[in-house]
Structure formats: structure tokens, C-alpha cells
Amino acid sequence: MYRDPVESLEPLHHRQAAIRTLRVGMIGIGTVGSGTFRVLARNRADIAARAGRSIELVMVAARDLERAAAIVGESVALTADAMQVATHPDVDVVVEVAGGTGPARDWVLAAIAHGKHVVTANKALLAVHGAEIFAAAREKGVIVAYEGAVAVSIPIIKALREGLAANRIEWVAGIINGTTNFILSKMRDEGLDFAAALAQAQALGYAEADPSFDIEGIDAAHKLTLLAANAFGMPLRFADAQVEGITALQGVDVACAEQLGHRIKLLGVARRQAAGVELRVQPVLVPAAHMMAQVNGSMNAVMVKSDAAGLTMYYGAGAGSEQTASAVIADLVDVARLDGVNAAQHVPHLGVHAHATNALAVVPRAAVHTSHYLRVPVHAVNQIQAIAASLAERKVPVRQVALAAERPGMGPQVLVLTGPVEQGTFDLAVHALQARAEVAGAVTTLRVESLEG
């Protein structure tokens, strides 16, 4: 009933049409896959005009064949075997939108081994197995494209690899997870605690039943790994990223950040230093007047600081079926334009050619140099200067100190914003501060990012 297995696609696509049509096999027909099918069908003429030839979905692998048939109709061959799509002779490019890092790796490597181009929105796959996948693709002279894996509707990979190709990139910083940005927006706007904001995100479909990858910062770290590689010409270094999520974030700190003229965002930061590259994801304070602080709900934004272009910012939807499909199809258009072109003329997978890769080290946590926020519970309001003095004694520059606005059931809290200081020095100062008699409870700290040009 569902045309599985498929021996040949000849009845569906005549040889004459195959010469001028890029034939796409898709693995997965869920949220992203169904959106890709819809946009390809709806904008067929515009896409062909830009690509120089038609792009047609000819084969889909899916677990639920009945559901898949209801989406794609009779014109697309269906199979339950993803490997069949990856290796079928009548497929020119494989779109992998099933997710995961195990079977997906096997499908992608099989497609490459059979000389097929690959388009994927699977950031975890590339962050973990990208080095192997890109090496295999170079060997076979095929393209692996992944714009949809990083910032959904924002063409940030193309911006880094092509639009900013003349630049030395100094840093990249982004809100690159829509779920956590939605949660933080709710905590600020409605005064919700983390658990209540997460529950609302799940009820509205912004968060999965198991939201761990999002709220623990792992999803953002996968994306940051790809951004850093393209920005700095460095290898994929996901295992070395410093990752902190928002699960421990308290509503009181969201309110206190506002009091100090800041907002809290989960930010991915890749910053060039003399010793290497900072590669970190964590909740940080951003000045409330900064453009990045205005990115709310499930939206994403990425800022890039480069020597010639200066500061540039890219903003758009951080989730969505057709939003991701937009990026996937843009990759297909690139493949359609370059299919058959000498591989040496392809845009390098990670922005620079393999022989020019820069083996930059990832800066250890203790050597990261940033400003900081502290919230220090004290026994009495007149102890505010003692807190500031303790930090100054330990070589931590104090830029602002204030008492937090009173909150029911909470004693006095001293709020501090520091100047830039090395993390190792700051940690020692906080350890000493925590032991002081004036301190009435655990000291809370967060980094502060000015994102200045």
C-alpha cells in the first residue's frame, strides 16, 4: 500500500525530468519534514527560478507510513527503511530531519558514501559527529549543508561563511534556544518562578515533555559549537564547551537584574582571546537598553563583532515548522546550484578549507574574563559597604552596589555589579566572601555581558 520497498522511481519521474530536477529523499516527516514538503510544494516556481532547476521530493522514510501518506499524497514514494532513502540511486540529495545522533550518523555517512549531498537540521549530530561527517563528505566531494541546525529562520551560517568572509571575527554571541528565551521572558514579564514558566512553555508546545536539552543549555551548546567553528575556522569542540542552563535560576534574580537595569538571557558566547577561544553557554545579565535584551518570547538573535563590518545582528524565529523549512530549502537551493560543480569550488563546510583549519584551544573556565553580578544575603542593611570592601580586597573591581528591593519572606540582599575580572580571581573572592560573618546565606553569582562593539 505504501510502496515499500521501492525498487525504482522511474514510474514517478521520467529520465528527461531527472536531468533537470534535483531529486530529494527525506528521512523523517515530522514537524520540520512536513513543513519542508509544504513550502517546496507551495513555492515550487519561485524556488526553481532561484535554483535554476526544479527541486522535487521523491522519497520519504517514516515510522508512521499512514501519517506520511496523508501528508505527501501519492506522488512521493514511501518506505519505513531510512537506509533505503540514504542509498537509493534515484535520490540526489538526502534531507535528514529525523534527529538523534545514533542512526542519523549511519544514514548520513551512508548517503555520503553513495555520493549524495546531505542537508540536515540536526545540530546534535553535527556537534558530536561533525568532524567525521565533514571529512567523509570532503573525501567524496559532496556537500553537507545545515543552516536549519543553528538558528532556524536566521541565515547565520551563510552570513559567517559568505557575507562576512572578508572579516576577522572577534566574537559571536546569541540567544539560540527559543524554549529558554520564552521561559525567561515569562519569568520577567509575569513574575513566574522557573517551574511555573516551564510548565507554561510545555502547555503551549514551546518545550518538550522532557526539556532537558533546552533548559540545561545543551541544545544551545550544540549550536554554539557550529557557530564558533564557522566564525574562527576552528574544529568542532562541543566536548570542551562550558555549559550552564537555567534550572537553578531564581525569580528573585530576574527581578534584581531589572532593578540594576539589566535582563537575564541564556547566551551562547564564542569570543577570541590571545590564548584561544571562549566557548560557553550560561544565563547572563545584559543591559536592558541593549538590542539583545529586547529579544523576547521564542525568538532568536545572534550578534557578530568583526573587524571590517563591525557589529552586525541577525534576528528571527527560533522555532517552527516552516521557519526551519525555510533554512532547509535554502540549503537545497545551494545544492541545486552547485551539484556537479568541482568540489574545490564549494563553500567549505565549516567556513575555511580543511588545510587552513586553526586548531585554537578552548579557554578554560578559570581564564574567562567577564564582569559579574552577585546577590549577597546579609543580616543587616548597614553591612552593604563591608560586602563591597571584601570584594575590592580580593582584586575584584566593584562598579555598582545597592540593596535589593524588599521582598516578602526575604531578608536584606546586597546586589553588586563588578568590572571585568578573571574567573579564577572572582571565584576566590566569592569563596572568601561566603565565609564572612555578615553573609547570611548562599551567594548567587551570574556573569554580565555588555556586548559592546
Side-chain angles (χ1 to χ4, degrees), residues 151-170:
V152 185
S153 66
I154 304 172
I156 187 60
I157 297 300
K158 186 173 286 289
L160 289 170
R161 292 196 311 201
E162 299 175 46
L164 296 174
N167 289 258
R168 175 182 170 88
I169 307 297
E170 300 301 326

Side-chain angles (χ1 to χ4, degrees), residues 34-357:
S34 59
T36 300
F37 173 78
R38 288 194 304 272
V39 176
L40 273 174
R42 186 174 71 233
N43 297 338
R44 182 185 303 273
D46 289 333
I47 293 167
R50 292 184 172 112
R53 55 173 165 162
S54 297
I55 299 175
E56 187 172 353
L57 182 65
V58 298
M59 192 175 188
V60 167
R63 287 191 296 255
D64 187 338
L65 294 176
E66 185 173 357
R67 177 183 176 278
I71 294 170
V72 303
E74 292 294 319
S75 64
V76 178
L78 298 179
T79 177
D81 182 2
M83 195 60 77
Q84 191 175 43
V85 173
T87 60
H88 202 285
D90 289 342
V91 168
D92 304 311
V93 53
V94 173
V95 173
E96 186 280 307
V97 286
T101 59
R105 169 188 170 275
D106 297 337
W107 303 329
V108 166
L109 288 174
I112 291 169
H114 283 74
K116 303 184 189 306
H117 305 294
V118 173
V119 172
T120 181
N122 190 339
K123 78 283 288 185
L125 172 69
L126 296 180
V128 176
H129 298 297
E132 178 186 18
I133 289 169
F134 295 137
R138 286 194 299 272
E139 178 89 14
K140 294 294 289 188
V142 298
I143 297 166
V144 176
Y146 52 91
E147 188 70 72
V150 178
V152 185
S153 66
I154 304 172
I156 187 60
I157 297 300
K158 186 173 286 289
L160 289 170
R161 292 196 311 201
E162 299 175 46
L164 296 174
N167 289 258
R168 175 182 170 88
I169 307 297
E170 300 301 326
W171 54 260
V172 179
I175 296 169
I176 45 180
N177 182 271
T179 299
T180 51
N181 202 46
F182 177 87
I183 291 170
L184 292 173
S185 297
K186 288 295 179 180
M187 291 178 73
R188 185 191 70 243
D189 295 342
E190 300 180 16
L192 302 179
D193 62 18
F194 170 77
L198 171 60
Q200 191 172 128
Q202 290 173 316
L204 293 172
Y206 289 110
E208 302 287 343
D210 179 2
S212 301
F213 262 42
D214 294 320
I215 62 176
E216 296 291 355
I218 299 168
D219 174 80
H222 286 149
K223 297 170 181 177
L224 183 67
T225 299
L226 293 167
L227 286 174
N230 281 278
F232 306 121
M234 63 186 289
L236 295 162
R237 301 291 294 275
F238 169 69
D240 297 323
Q242 301 157 36
V243 185
E244 179 186 349
I246 64 171
T247 55
L249 187 65
Q250 299 181 56
V252 61
D253 293 303
V254 174
C256 288
E258 291 281 324
Q259 180 184 334
L260 295 173
H262 289 69
R263 292 180 178 173
I264 296 178
K265 297 293 183 181
L266 184 74
L267 213 61
V269 178
R271 188 186 303 273
R272 190 192 296 268
Q273 283 193 12
V277 172
E278 297 175 16
L279 193 63
R280 50 191 172 85
V281 172
Q282 71 272 299
V284 303
L285 275 70
V286 177
H290 196 281
M291 289 185 293
M292 194 68 81
Q294 313 306 315
V295 179
N296 297 314
S298 63
M299 302 302 285
N300 278 192
V302 180
M303 293 194 77
V304 182
K305 173 63 169 65
S306 55
D307 66 337
L311 270 179
T312 52
M313 183 170 176
Y314 310 83
Y315 172 88
S321 174
E322 294 197 359
Q323 290 85 348
T324 311
S326 172
V328 169
I329 295 168
D331 282 341
L332 286 173
V333 169
D334 278 348
V335 170
R337 291 167 173 167
L338 293 169
D339 182 41
V341 173
N342 188 296
Q345 296 176 269
H346 295 171
V347 178
H349 294 114
L350 292 173
V352 300
H353 288 282
H355 68 272
T357 299

